[in-house]
Amino acid sequence: MKPPGDLLRLDYLPVSRLSQQARDGVPGALGGVCFFQPIVHVEAAGLPLLAVDMALLAGEEALCEVWYSREVLESGCRNGIRYRQGETLLFGCLTRNEAAEVTPMDASAPLQAATQAAYESVFELLESRGYRAILRFWNYFPGVNRVSHNLERYLQFNIGRQSAFLSHGRSVIGDVPAACALGCADGGLQIAFLAARAEPVGIENPRQISAYHYPDQYGPRSPTFSRASLVNLWGRDLLFISGTASIVGHQTLHAGDVGAQTRECLHNIAAVVAEANRRVPAAGFQLGDLAYKVYIRYREDLARVRHELIRFIGAPVSAVFLQADVCRADLLVEIEASGGHALPSLLKSGAGP
Ligand code: 3EB
Protein backbone atom coordinates (compact mmCIF):
# COMPACT_ATOMS: atom_id res chain seq x y z
CA MET A 1 0.00 0.00 0.00
CA LYS A 2 1.11 3.56 -0.68
CA PRO A 3 2.08 5.44 2.46
CA PRO A 4 -1.12 6.90 3.88
CA GLY A 5 -1.39 10.52 2.89
CA ASP A 6 -2.30 13.12 5.41
CA LEU A 7 -4.74 14.61 2.91
CA LEU A 8 -7.22 12.97 5.27
CA ARG A 9 -6.20 12.11 8.81
CA LEU A 10 -8.05 10.59 11.73
CA ASP A 11 -6.92 11.43 15.23
CA TYR A 12 -8.12 10.92 18.80
CA LEU A 13 -7.41 13.69 21.26
CA PRO A 14 -8.26 14.53 24.83
CA VAL A 15 -10.81 17.32 25.05
CA SER A 16 -8.22 19.70 26.51
CA ARG A 17 -6.01 19.35 23.44
CA LEU A 18 -8.90 19.87 21.05
CA SER A 19 -10.01 22.99 22.93
CA GLN A 20 -6.42 24.27 22.82
CA GLN A 21 -6.25 23.63 19.07
CA ALA A 22 -9.52 25.49 18.63
CA ARG A 23 -8.20 28.48 20.59
CA ASP A 24 -4.97 28.43 18.60
CA GLY A 25 -6.91 28.21 15.38
CA VAL A 26 -5.19 25.00 14.25
CA PRO A 27 -6.24 24.60 10.64
CA GLY A 28 -7.40 21.43 9.05
CA ALA A 29 -9.98 20.01 11.47
CA LEU A 30 -13.14 19.02 9.60
CA GLY A 31 -15.10 17.92 12.65
CA GLY A 32 -15.70 14.89 14.77
CA VAL A 33 -17.34 13.04 17.60
CA CYS A 34 -16.44 13.32 21.28
CA PHE A 35 -17.18 10.43 23.63
CA PHE A 36 -17.71 11.17 27.31
CA GLN A 37 -19.31 9.87 30.40
CA PRO A 38 -20.76 11.92 31.93
CA ILE A 39 -21.49 14.11 28.97
CA VAL A 40 -19.53 17.35 28.51
CA HIS A 41 -20.06 19.88 25.78
CA VAL A 42 -16.89 20.97 24.03
CA GLU A 43 -16.61 24.41 22.57
CA ALA A 44 -14.45 24.55 19.49
CA ALA A 45 -15.53 27.54 17.46
CA GLY A 46 -16.86 26.61 14.06
CA LEU A 47 -15.98 22.94 14.43
CA PRO A 48 -18.91 20.55 14.05
CA LEU A 49 -18.58 18.22 17.01
CA LEU A 50 -21.05 15.69 18.30
CA ALA A 51 -20.94 15.04 22.06
CA VAL A 52 -21.98 11.43 22.67
CA ASP A 53 -22.72 10.00 26.11
CA MET A 54 -20.68 6.81 25.84
CA ALA A 55 -18.00 5.44 28.15
CA LEU A 56 -14.45 4.83 26.97
CA LEU A 57 -13.16 1.54 28.29
CA ALA A 58 -9.41 1.90 28.23
CA GLY A 59 -8.67 4.50 30.88
CA GLU A 60 -9.31 7.77 29.13
CA GLU A 61 -12.37 9.60 30.44
CA ALA A 62 -13.07 11.57 27.29
CA LEU A 63 -11.70 11.50 23.77
CA CYS A 64 -12.57 13.31 20.58
CA GLU A 65 -12.41 11.52 17.27
CA VAL A 66 -11.44 14.22 14.79
CA TRP A 67 -11.04 14.16 11.02
CA TYR A 68 -8.42 16.51 9.54
CA SER A 69 -8.08 17.52 5.92
CA ARG A 70 -5.50 19.46 3.92
CA GLU A 71 -8.20 21.35 2.06
CA VAL A 72 -9.17 24.95 2.67
CA LEU A 73 -12.21 24.64 4.93
CA GLU A 74 -15.26 26.70 5.77
CA SER A 75 -17.97 26.12 8.35
CA GLY A 76 -21.71 26.49 8.13
CA CYS A 77 -24.99 25.63 9.77
CA ARG A 78 -28.26 24.73 8.09
CA ASN A 79 -31.42 22.93 9.28
CA GLY A 80 -29.71 22.38 12.62
CA ILE A 81 -26.80 20.61 10.94
CA ARG A 82 -23.38 21.95 11.78
CA TYR A 83 -20.93 21.25 8.98
CA ARG A 84 -17.49 22.06 7.69
CA GLN A 85 -16.41 21.52 4.12
CA GLY A 86 -13.55 21.77 1.70
CA GLU A 87 -13.47 21.26 -2.07
CA THR A 88 -13.88 17.48 -1.81
CA LEU A 89 -15.13 16.53 1.64
CA LEU A 90 -17.88 17.67 3.97
CA PHE A 91 -18.28 16.56 7.59
CA GLY A 92 -21.56 17.31 9.35
CA CYS A 93 -23.42 16.43 12.51
CA LEU A 94 -26.77 16.99 14.16
CA THR A 95 -28.81 16.10 17.22
CA ARG A 96 -32.58 15.68 17.29
CA ASN A 97 -34.64 15.54 20.43
CA GLU A 98 -37.28 12.85 19.91
CA ALA A 99 -39.45 14.23 22.69
CA ALA A 100 -39.93 17.41 20.68
CA GLU A 101 -41.00 15.51 17.58
CA VAL A 102 -44.52 16.26 16.41
CA THR A 103 -45.71 12.86 15.30
CA PRO A 104 -48.61 12.48 12.96
CA MET A 105 -51.90 10.86 13.97
CA ASP A 106 -50.74 7.50 12.59
CA ALA A 107 -49.00 6.92 15.95
CA SER A 108 -45.63 6.23 14.34
CA ALA A 109 -42.90 6.33 16.94
CA PRO A 110 -41.14 9.61 17.73
CA LEU A 111 -37.74 8.01 17.03
CA GLN A 112 -38.90 7.00 13.57
CA ALA A 113 -40.11 10.53 12.86
CA ALA A 114 -36.92 12.06 14.28
CA THR A 115 -34.77 9.74 12.16
CA GLN A 116 -36.67 10.45 8.98
CA ALA A 117 -36.52 14.21 9.59
CA ALA A 118 -32.81 14.07 10.43
CA TYR A 119 -31.88 12.12 7.31
CA GLU A 120 -34.06 14.31 5.11
CA SER A 121 -32.32 17.40 6.46
CA VAL A 122 -28.92 15.83 5.74
CA PHE A 123 -29.92 14.98 2.16
CA GLU A 124 -31.34 18.45 1.68
CA LEU A 125 -28.10 20.05 2.93
CA LEU A 126 -25.95 17.87 0.71
CA GLU A 127 -28.07 18.49 -2.36
CA SER A 128 -27.78 22.23 -1.75
CA ARG A 129 -23.98 22.02 -1.30
CA GLY A 130 -23.41 19.80 -4.32
CA TYR A 131 -22.27 16.75 -2.35
CA ARG A 132 -24.27 13.82 -3.56
CA ALA A 133 -22.19 10.97 -2.21
CA ILE A 134 -22.15 9.99 1.44
CA LEU A 135 -19.24 7.84 2.53
CA ARG A 136 -20.19 7.18 6.10
CA PHE A 137 -22.93 7.73 8.69
CA TRP A 138 -22.42 7.30 12.46
CA ASN A 139 -25.72 6.93 14.36
CA TYR A 140 -26.06 7.05 18.15
CA PHE A 141 -29.26 7.02 20.21
CA PRO A 142 -30.32 5.71 23.63
CA GLY A 143 -32.24 2.50 24.16
CA VAL A 144 -31.53 0.76 20.84
CA ASN A 145 -32.93 -2.55 22.09
CA ARG A 146 -35.86 -1.08 24.03
CA VAL A 147 -39.37 -1.72 22.73
CA SER A 148 -41.93 1.05 22.36
CA HIS A 149 -44.91 1.40 20.01
CA ASN A 150 -44.69 -2.42 19.68
CA LEU A 151 -41.32 -2.21 17.98
CA GLU A 152 -37.69 -2.31 19.03
CA ARG A 153 -36.23 1.16 18.73
CA TYR A 154 -33.48 0.07 16.30
CA LEU A 155 -36.25 -1.12 13.98
CA GLN A 156 -38.07 2.22 14.33
CA PHE A 157 -34.80 3.88 13.34
CA ASN A 158 -34.53 1.63 10.26
CA ILE A 159 -38.00 2.64 9.08
CA GLY A 160 -37.27 6.35 9.43
CA ARG A 161 -33.89 6.04 7.73
CA GLN A 162 -35.17 4.06 4.76
CA SER A 163 -38.16 6.39 4.33
CA ALA A 164 -35.81 9.38 4.06
CA PHE A 165 -33.66 7.67 1.42
CA LEU A 166 -36.79 6.88 -0.58
CA SER A 167 -38.38 10.31 -0.22
CA HIS A 168 -35.20 11.87 -1.62
CA GLY A 169 -35.12 9.49 -4.57
CA ARG A 170 -32.05 7.71 -3.27
CA SER A 171 -31.40 4.04 -3.82
CA VAL A 172 -31.80 1.82 -0.74
CA ILE A 173 -29.63 -0.98 -2.14
CA GLY A 174 -26.22 -1.11 -3.79
CA ASP A 175 -23.94 1.89 -3.36
CA VAL A 176 -25.50 3.11 -0.12
CA PRO A 177 -23.28 4.66 2.59
CA ALA A 178 -21.35 2.68 5.16
CA ALA A 179 -22.78 3.13 8.65
CA CYS A 180 -23.05 2.08 12.25
CA ALA A 181 -25.90 2.39 14.77
CA LEU A 182 -25.11 2.09 18.48
CA GLY A 183 -26.79 2.79 21.76
CA CYS A 184 -25.51 5.67 23.87
CA ALA A 185 -26.51 6.20 27.50
CA ASP A 186 -28.56 9.35 27.12
CA GLY A 187 -29.34 12.29 24.84
CA GLY A 188 -31.20 12.51 21.58
CA LEU A 189 -30.65 10.97 18.19
CA GLN A 190 -27.14 11.95 17.15
CA ILE A 191 -25.82 11.58 13.65
CA ALA A 192 -22.47 12.43 12.10
CA PHE A 193 -21.58 11.95 8.45
CA LEU A 194 -18.81 12.33 5.93
CA ALA A 195 -19.79 13.25 2.38
CA ALA A 196 -17.69 13.71 -0.74
CA ARG A 197 -17.77 15.08 -4.25
CA ALA A 198 -16.79 11.70 -5.67
CA GLU A 199 -18.26 8.36 -6.71
CA PRO A 200 -17.91 5.87 -3.87
CA VAL A 201 -18.51 2.16 -4.37
CA GLY A 202 -20.49 0.06 -1.90
CA ILE A 203 -18.60 -3.06 -0.82
CA GLU A 204 -20.48 -6.13 0.40
CA ASN A 205 -19.26 -9.10 2.42
CA PRO A 206 -19.51 -12.48 0.64
CA ARG A 207 -19.98 -14.14 4.07
CA GLN A 208 -23.06 -12.04 4.83
CA ILE A 209 -26.37 -11.25 3.21
CA SER A 210 -26.39 -7.54 2.43
CA ALA A 211 -28.08 -5.71 5.29
CA TYR A 212 -30.40 -4.01 2.78
CA HIS A 213 -31.60 -7.51 1.83
CA TYR A 214 -32.11 -8.88 5.35
CA PRO A 215 -35.33 -10.92 5.59
CA ASP A 216 -38.24 -9.28 7.40
CA GLN A 217 -37.71 -11.26 10.61
CA TYR A 218 -35.24 -8.42 11.37
CA GLY A 219 -37.85 -5.72 11.02
CA PRO A 220 -40.38 -4.27 8.60
CA ARG A 221 -37.74 -2.23 6.73
CA SER A 222 -34.21 -3.35 6.04
CA PRO A 223 -31.29 -1.31 7.32
CA THR A 224 -29.92 1.00 4.64
CA PHE A 225 -26.14 0.58 4.70
CA SER A 226 -23.27 -1.07 2.83
CA ARG A 227 -20.68 -3.25 4.54
CA ALA A 228 -18.09 -0.67 3.47
CA SER A 229 -17.64 2.23 1.14
CA LEU A 230 -14.58 2.64 -1.02
CA VAL A 231 -13.69 5.91 -2.65
CA ASN A 232 -10.77 7.39 -4.51
CA LEU A 233 -9.93 10.92 -3.43
CA TRP A 234 -6.87 12.81 -4.65
CA GLY A 235 -5.65 9.60 -6.32
CA ARG A 236 -5.81 7.69 -3.06
CA ASP A 237 -8.17 4.87 -2.07
CA LEU A 238 -10.06 5.28 1.19
CA LEU A 239 -12.06 2.55 2.90
CA PHE A 240 -14.80 3.05 5.50
CA ILE A 241 -15.92 -0.26 7.00
CA SER A 242 -19.33 -0.25 8.68
CA GLY A 243 -19.98 -1.56 12.14
CA THR A 244 -19.30 -5.29 11.78
CA ALA A 245 -20.78 -7.94 14.02
CA SER A 246 -20.83 -11.70 14.55
CA ILE A 247 -23.32 -12.29 11.74
CA VAL A 248 -22.93 -14.87 9.00
CA GLY A 249 -25.60 -15.02 6.33
CA HIS A 250 -28.20 -13.05 8.23
CA GLN A 251 -27.90 -14.88 11.55
CA THR A 252 -26.14 -13.99 14.77
CA LEU A 253 -23.51 -16.59 15.66
CA HIS A 254 -21.97 -17.42 19.06
CA ALA A 255 -24.68 -15.95 21.29
CA GLY A 256 -23.23 -15.54 24.78
CA ASP A 257 -19.58 -16.06 23.72
CA VAL A 258 -17.84 -12.71 23.40
CA GLY A 259 -14.48 -14.20 22.38
CA ALA A 260 -16.00 -16.16 19.50
CA GLN A 261 -18.13 -13.16 18.49
CA THR A 262 -15.01 -10.99 18.35
CA ARG A 263 -13.21 -13.50 16.12
CA GLU A 264 -16.27 -13.70 13.84
CA CYS A 265 -16.36 -9.88 13.57
CA LEU A 266 -12.70 -9.92 12.55
CA HIS A 267 -13.22 -12.68 9.96
CA ASN A 268 -15.99 -10.50 8.54
CA ILE A 269 -13.75 -7.43 8.46
CA ALA A 270 -11.03 -9.50 6.76
CA ALA A 271 -13.58 -10.60 4.15
CA VAL A 272 -14.65 -7.00 3.53
CA VAL A 273 -11.02 -5.92 3.14
CA ALA A 274 -10.39 -8.80 0.70
CA GLU A 275 -13.48 -7.79 -1.27
CA ALA A 276 -12.31 -4.16 -1.41
CA ASN A 277 -8.89 -5.29 -2.67
CA ARG A 278 -10.55 -7.52 -5.27
CA ARG A 279 -12.60 -4.56 -6.53
CA VAL A 280 -9.61 -2.20 -6.57
CA PRO A 281 -6.44 -4.33 -6.63
CA ALA A 282 -4.15 -1.28 -6.50
CA ALA A 283 -5.60 -0.33 -3.11
CA GLY A 284 -3.80 -3.09 -1.20
CA PHE A 285 -5.58 -2.54 2.11
CA GLN A 286 -4.17 -4.55 5.02
CA LEU A 287 -5.76 -5.30 8.39
CA GLY A 288 -2.75 -3.93 10.25
CA ASP A 289 -3.05 -0.53 8.55
CA LEU A 290 -6.61 0.23 9.63
CA ALA A 291 -7.91 2.32 12.52
CA TYR A 292 -10.42 0.33 14.62
CA LYS A 293 -13.26 1.39 16.85
CA VAL A 294 -14.65 -1.36 19.06
CA TYR A 295 -18.07 -1.17 20.73
CA ILE A 296 -18.53 -3.61 23.62
CA ARG A 297 -21.88 -4.24 25.33
CA TYR A 298 -20.47 -5.23 28.75
CA ARG A 299 -17.40 -3.41 30.03
CA GLU A 300 -16.09 -6.53 31.76
CA ASP A 301 -15.51 -8.05 28.30
CA LEU A 302 -12.86 -5.46 27.39
CA ALA A 303 -9.80 -7.60 28.18
CA ARG A 304 -11.15 -10.55 26.23
CA VAL A 305 -12.10 -8.50 23.18
CA ARG A 306 -8.78 -6.66 23.13
CA HIS A 307 -6.89 -9.94 23.44
CA GLU A 308 -8.74 -11.40 20.43
CA LEU A 309 -8.20 -8.22 18.41
CA ILE A 310 -4.45 -8.22 19.01
CA ARG A 311 -4.19 -11.95 18.36
CA PHE A 312 -6.01 -11.59 15.03
CA ILE A 313 -4.43 -8.37 13.73
CA GLY A 314 -1.05 -8.49 15.47
CA ALA A 315 0.28 -5.73 17.75
CA PRO A 316 0.33 -2.81 17.65
CA VAL A 317 -3.26 -2.09 16.67
CA SER A 318 -4.77 1.37 16.46
CA ALA A 319 -7.98 0.86 18.41
CA VAL A 320 -10.45 2.70 20.64
CA PHE A 321 -12.82 0.77 22.95
CA LEU A 322 -16.25 2.05 23.95
CA GLN A 323 -19.18 0.68 25.94
CA ALA A 324 -22.31 0.62 23.81
CA ASP A 325 -25.46 -1.36 23.20
CA VAL A 326 -25.36 -3.11 19.85
CA CYS A 327 -28.42 -3.22 17.65
CA ARG A 328 -29.34 -6.88 18.08
CA ALA A 329 -29.88 -7.93 21.67
CA ASP A 330 -27.72 -11.06 21.20
CA LEU A 331 -24.68 -9.15 19.86
CA LEU A 332 -21.96 -8.48 22.44
CA VAL A 333 -19.46 -6.63 20.27
CA GLU A 334 -19.29 -4.64 17.05
CA ILE A 335 -16.14 -3.39 15.30
CA GLU A 336 -15.73 -0.68 12.67
CA ALA A 337 -12.59 0.35 10.82
CA SER A 338 -11.23 2.71 8.23
CA GLY A 339 -8.07 2.97 6.19
CA GLY A 340 -6.18 4.73 3.44
CA HIS A 341 -5.99 7.92 5.50
CA ALA A 342 -3.35 8.84 8.06
CA LEU A 343 -3.88 6.97 11.32
CA PRO A 344 -4.19 8.28 14.88
CA SER A 345 -0.84 9.11 16.42
CA LEU A 346 -1.75 7.76 19.87
CA LEU A 347 -3.62 4.69 21.04
CA LYS A 348 -1.51 1.90 19.70
CA SER A 349 -2.75 -1.08 21.65
CA GLY A 350 0.13 -3.42 22.38
CA ALA A 351 0.08 -6.78 24.12
CA GLY A 352 -0.29 -5.10 27.52
CA PRO A 353 -3.11 -5.53 30.05
C1 3EB B 1 -25.44 -5.89 11.27
O1 3EB B 1 -24.51 -6.26 10.55
C2 3EB B 1 -25.07 -5.41 12.63
O2 3EB B 1 -28.07 -0.06 10.97
O3 3EB B 1 -26.51 1.30 10.33
C3 3EB B 1 -23.98 -2.77 11.68
C4 3EB B 1 -23.63 -1.62 10.95
C5 3EB B 1 -25.26 -2.92 12.14
C6 3EB B 1 -24.59 -0.64 10.68
C7 3EB B 1 -26.89 0.23 10.79
C8 3EB B 1 -26.22 -1.93 11.85
C9 3EB B 1 -25.89 -0.80 11.14
O4 3EB B 1 -26.61 -5.94 10.92
C10 3EB B 1 -25.66 -4.12 12.96
Side-chain angles (χ1 to χ4, degrees), residues 154 158 161 179-181 214 223 225 227 243 245 247 327 334:
Y154 172 61
N158 278 328
R161 174 170 56 180
C180 61
Y214 279 166
F225 72 94
R227 298 303 180 185
I247 295 173
C327 60
E334 182 174 304

Side-chain angles (χ1 to χ4, degrees), residues 56-104:
L56 282 143
L57 292 178
E60 318 88 348
E61 59 188 42
L63 267 187
C64 297
E65 172 183 78
V66 184
W67 292 95
Y68 294 84
S69 154
R70 276 287 183 84
E71 298 184 323
V72 175
L73 303 172
E74 61 175 285
S75 298
C77 187
R78 181 183 169 116
N79 302 336
I81 304 174
R82 289 166 294 135
Y83 66 91
R84 196 161 160 78
Q85 67 170 105
E87 192 52 46
T88 318
L89 282 172
L90 183 150
F91 178 92
C93 62
L94 73 160
T95 298
R96 273 192 93 100
N97 177 5
E98 302 167 39
E101 219 56 55
V102 181
T103 46

